[in-house]
Amino acid sequence: MSARLQTIVLFACVLALFIGVNMLSERLLAGARLDTTQGSIFTLTQGSRNIARSPAEPVTLTLYYAASAATGRPELESYARRVRELLREFAGASRGKVVLREVDPAPFSEAEDDAVRAGLTGVPLDAGRTLYLGLVGTNTIDTREVIAFFDPRRERFLEYDVARLVYSLANPTRKAVGVISSLRIDGGFAIDPRTRQPTQTPAWRVMEEMKGLFDVRMLNAPTSIPDDLDALMVVHPKDLPPSTLYAIDQFVMRGGHLLLFQDPNCENDDTGGQFAFGGDRSSSLEPLLKAWGIDSPDGMVAADAAMALRVFAGDRNNPEPVPYVVWLEARAGQMASDDAVTGVLGRVMLASSGYFNTAEGSTLALTPLISTTGTAMAMPTTDIGFPPDPKALQKKFTPGSAALVLAARVEGAVTSAFPDGPPPPPEGQEAPADLPAHMAASTGPVTMIIAGDVDMLADGMWIRRQDFFGSPMVQRLADNGDFVLGALENLTGGKDLTTVRARRDTNRPFTVVERMQRDADQRALAEQAMLEESLRDTQAELDKLQAARSDAEGSPMLTPEQRAKVEEFRATMLDTRKKLREVNRTLRADIETLGLQLKFINTALMPLLVAFIAILLAILRRARRARAL
């Protein structure tokens, strides 16, 4: 066989082998992924995988994406591709339980009508184009869940939003939430201190919103918590009997999820009627928290001048705004951005809140959800007084050196606060019958969300009720209600949903270049400030000299001294401008140098590295052959 024929046969064999390997890999490795991104942002968490496989019957996800409307907008096209890839990951991980459909709702088409009918939000763009990027999920019993629009600003919670939707379709019944509270948060009757007559009090707004999403059940001093509850919400646990504390303890031991709002100084505590003011208004689950490994200092509130809300104080006829250091406004910087409960909130307001930390030797993981700044201080509730004096509190405030945790997610295994079993009943009463078997420790890691403030739930801290031409209207002032609903939604979603956290943003800015730009801007601003100060000083000097000298006709004249001063100013100005140009030139040079280095690494260094390895292998192979001879 000639050398030419051998070459042709060898080439044909290599080509056939290449095609065969590709066909085989496509069949055997169709679902294989290699995610090398920081934080594995393109890989589903185990909780999401479990949720994708959880439906007893298949669920259908229909993605409506108007690709033509996003054409020419790289940021939208990139985000839509990210959404599509995530949904495909859910479908691939579900083992057939999640069916994905993709629909392009072209303008004036039936698909667009379906998208509008389903409740999706069309975002108008330029040239009359409308962008649809939403999801409709259905199950076999016609339950429907909708994400009206995938907002790019919520990209970090994209996986959580989809996992929550799939979980809702797999578990279509309303989640049951039990509520234990010593306050009339669900409405009722109270004695009006002015008329001493019973008057009906409305339910708190947060309860109204909870009832729209959950099966809410009020529990009055229960001796056991029903097993069919998905979560238990405890609000202002004041003077709870031991039997109720035991019921809460055992609910948590059985793996129940707890949402707790306690308060060292509940300003909305009216349990004492007209004598409530000046009395004890604190509440705590301290007997349980201490046993579980959580410390909440008694009689102490968090004060922070940097987060303080301003209130009017002083003379009634001439009030002045004063920072009230125990009324705090938490914004994005004080709320966990990587948690699904607080990551989407903008503002939460709290009044005389307590704080938490883990007790010594505790194995619990306490993750802050809402915290103070690093200059907060712990202030005794006795300093607040009645009526409170914001000015006096401001004078007593001393900046601290550490942040205080106002609300937190708690996870881990715990032991019962009642190691010897249920407490004995009160004298003259019989022990409750049919209590579940006592559990001395939790069956596994538990999940709780705890907050040190009850007042944050009250209407006055986050809404304003108004009458609009005879119709009641609610204006939201803060996101306190969303914090409660988000916490309950997260806790009732099962263990898998609570493990899905916010992911790293796929937008990766050039942080080094941005830092170089900021440094240069600071230098330029400093130079600019020097120039302006020099200009003001020189102008003042000129005005001073000009006022002292004028010609015979009354018009100002420049003396040699004034001319010298002007020339001096001009020289200073030119020198400063030269320095500014030098700063800008240095900035451009640094950035251009960095760019050249990156280009060299990407275009030259890697090929050179491959060539070097190839040469090294050739040398080693030749040396091995030489030794063999």
Side-chain angles (χ1 to χ4, degrees):
M1 183 181 294
S2 64
R4 181 177 180 182
L5 184 57
Q6 289 180 353
T7 303
I8 294 175
V9 172
L10 179 61
F11 177 77
C13 292
V14 171
L15 181 61
L17 180 63
F18 175 77
I19 296 174
V21 169
N22 275 272
M23 293 177 62
L24 188 62
S25 62
E26 183 179 359
R27 180 177 297 273
L28 298 179
L29 304 176
R33 299 288 190 275
L34 180 62
D35 188 355
T36 59
T37 58
Q38 185 176 4
S40 300
I41 59 177
F42 294 103
T43 302
L44 295 182
T45 61
Q46 188 58 47
S48 293
R49 292 180 177 275
N50 294 341
I51 291 173
R53 299 166 187 167
S54 65
E57 297 182 359
V59 300
T60 301
L61 304 182
T62 304
L63 173 65
Y64 288 88
Y65 170 48
S68 59
T71 302
R73 292 177 173 263
E75 70 283 359
L76 292 178
E77 292 179 311
S78 175
Y79 183 58
R81 185 165 54 251
R82 169 85 174 95
V83 171
R84 185 188 294 114
E85 290 173 351
L86 179 77
L87 293 175
R88 289 175 179 175
E89 284 288 324
F90 264 90
S94 70
R95 298 174 182 172
K97 297 295 186 65
V98 176
V99 179
L100 177 63
R101 295 175 58 239
E102 298 182 25
V103 177
D104 186 352
F108 307 106
S109 65
E110 292 184 3
E112 184 180 31
D113 295 339
D114 292 340
V116 174
R117 192 178 300 111
L120 300 189
T121 301
V123 178
L125 302 178
D126 55 355
R129 295 181 296 177
T130 301
L131 174 66
Y132 289 93
L133 182 58
L135 185 68
V136 178
T138 56
N139 57 18
T140 55
I141 59 174
D142 294 331
T143 303
R144 173 173 295 191
E145 295 286 340
V146 176
I147 296 178
F149 184 76
F150 285 106
D151 191 339
R153 292 172 297 183
R154 283 184 58 90
E155 180 183 4
R156 301 176 66 251
F157 299 96
L158 176 61
E159 181 181 351
Y160 179 83
D161 290 340
V162 175
R164 179 186 54 79
L165 182 142
V166 174
Y167 183 86
S168 298
L169 293 173
N171 303 271
T173 57
R174 273 196 175 193
K175 302 302 178 183
V177 175
V179 178
I180 298 175
S181 178
S182 59
L183 303 178
R184 286 180 284 268
I185 61 175
D186 198 35
F189 289 90
I191 301 298
D192 190 331
R194 295 170 299 179
T195 63
R196 301 198 177 191
Q197 296 297 321
T199 180
Q200 187 170 7
T201 59
W204 291 12
R205 176 68 184 185
V206 68
M207 289 295 294
E208 296 175 1
E209 297 197 1
M210 284 170 54
K211 290 179 180 179
L213 297 176
F214 305 98
D215 175 17
V216 179
R217 307 177 191 174
M218 298 300 298
L219 306 177
N220 183 22
T223 56
S224 64
I225 308 296
D227 289 332
D228 62 343
L229 289 183
D230 296 285
L232 177 65
M233 178 173 166
V234 178
V235 180
H236 200 43
K238 182 178 181 180
D239 300 329
L240 293 182
S243 58
T244 299
L245 292 175
Y246 177 74
I248 297 173
D249 174 88
Q250 291 298 290
F251 176 78
V252 173
M253 294 304 109
R254 297 196 302 268
H257 294 156
L258 174 66
L259 175 59
L260 168 65
F261 293 91
Q262 64 177 39
D263 200 322
N265 183 54
C266 180
E267 301 181 17
N268 286 272
D269 184 353
D270 60 352
T271 54
Q274 60 179 321
F275 304 105
F277 299 111
D280 180 22
R281 294 186 288 177
S282 66
S283 64
S284 174
L285 275 185
E286 193 270 342
L288 304 186
L289 297 182
K290 185 176 181 180
W292 296 341
I294 305 170
D295 183 24
S296 58
D298 185 36
M300 303 295 290
V301 299
D304 194 335
M307 298 171 60
L309 287 167
R310 288 186 170 272
V311 298
F312 285 98
D315 186 8
R316 178 179 299 180
N317 299 322
N318 188 27
E320 58 178 315
V322 178
Y324 192 18
V325 295
V326 295
W327 279 19
L328 307 180
E329 178 186 24
R331 290 192 175 270
Q334 287 78 51
M335 293 187 286
S337 61
D338 60 347
D339 194 284
V341 175
T342 53
V344 295
L345 304 182
R347 183 189 192 202
V348 170
M349 294 195 289
L350 307 95
S352 56
S353 172
Y355 54 94
F356 304 94
N357 48 63
T358 52
E360 185 177 357
S362 174
T363 58
L364 290 175
L366 189 144
T367 305
L369 296 181
I370 304 177
S371 304
T372 64
T373 66
T375 58
M377 72 168 291
M379 181 176 288
T381 55
T382 53
D383 286 352
I384 299 178
F386 183 81
D389 187 347
K391 285 187 176 182
L393 290 178
Q394 186 183 16
K395 292 179 181 178
K396 292 180 180 180
F397 178 80
T398 303
S401 59
L404 301 177
V405 178
L406 310 180
R409 181 188 295 275
V410 180
E411 297 170 305
V414 294
T415 57
S416 173
F418 297 85
D420 300 327
E427 186 176 353
Q429 296 185 14
E430 296 183 0
D434 301 329
L435 282 180
H438 174 73
M439 300 188 65
S442 61
T443 56
V446 301
T447 300
M448 298 178 283
I449 294 179
I450 56 178
D453 185 36
V454 172
D455 300 300
M456 66 182 296
L457 307 180
D459 292 358
M461 290 302 296
W462 67 285
I463 66 167
R464 179 180 293 122
R465 296 183 184 269
Q466 296 177 330
D467 184 79
F468 185 73
F469 295 103
S471 299
M473 185 178 68
V474 174
Q475 178 186 5
R476 288 175 175 264
L477 307 177
D479 299 325
N480 297 27
D482 291 336
F483 172 81
V484 178
L485 297 180
L488 287 175
E489 183 183 70
N490 188 263
L491 292 175
T492 58
K495 295 182 179 179
D496 290 324
L497 190 59
T498 59
T499 62
V500 182
R501 299 287 190 265
R503 309 303 294 272
R504 182 181 294 272
D505 199 338
T506 57
N507 179 29
R508 305 299 300 277
F510 294 99
T511 54
V512 175
V513 175
E514 290 179 351
R515 184 173 64 251
M516 294 168 63
Q517 181 74 57
R518 286 195 301 268
D519 293 343
D521 288 343
Q522 290 176 357
R523 294 196 300 269
L525 288 173
E527 294 285 357
Q528 184 179 2
M530 291 174 57
L531 173 62
E532 292 176 350
E533 184 178 0
S534 176
L535 174 62
R536 287 193 297 268
D537 293 343
T538 305
Q539 188 63 51
E541 187 68 22
L542 286 174
D543 292 342
K544 181 180 178 181
L545 293 174
Q546 200 69 49
R549 296 293 302 270
S550 61
D551 63 359
E553 298 180 356
S555 59
M557 295 178 60
L558 292 177
T559 64
E561 184 181 7
Q562 291 173 329
R563 286 195 294 270
K565 195 68 175 177
V566 169
E567 292 299 326
E568 179 184 352
F569 166 67
R570 287 175 177 172
T572 302
M573 182 176 62
L574 292 174
D575 181 62
T576 306
R577 286 180 176 175
K578 180 180 178 181
K579 292 179 179 178
L580 286 173
R581 288 195 299 271
E582 184 65 27
V583 169
N584 291 328
R585 185 164 49 249
T586 303
L587 167 66
R588 290 194 300 270
D590 292 343
I591 295 177
E592 289 174 359
T593 301
L594 179 61
L596 290 174
Q597 292 173 351
L598 293 176
K599 288 180 181 178
F600 173 76
I601 293 173
N602 291 329
T603 61
L605 182 60
M606 291 306 297
L608 289 175
L609 183 61
V610 172
F612 172 77
I613 294 175
I615 294 172
L616 181 61
L617 290 175
I619 294 174
L620 292 175
R621 189 179 297 112
R622 182 174 299 178
R624 190 162 49 248
R625 289 177 180 174
R627 286 196 301 268
L629 295 176

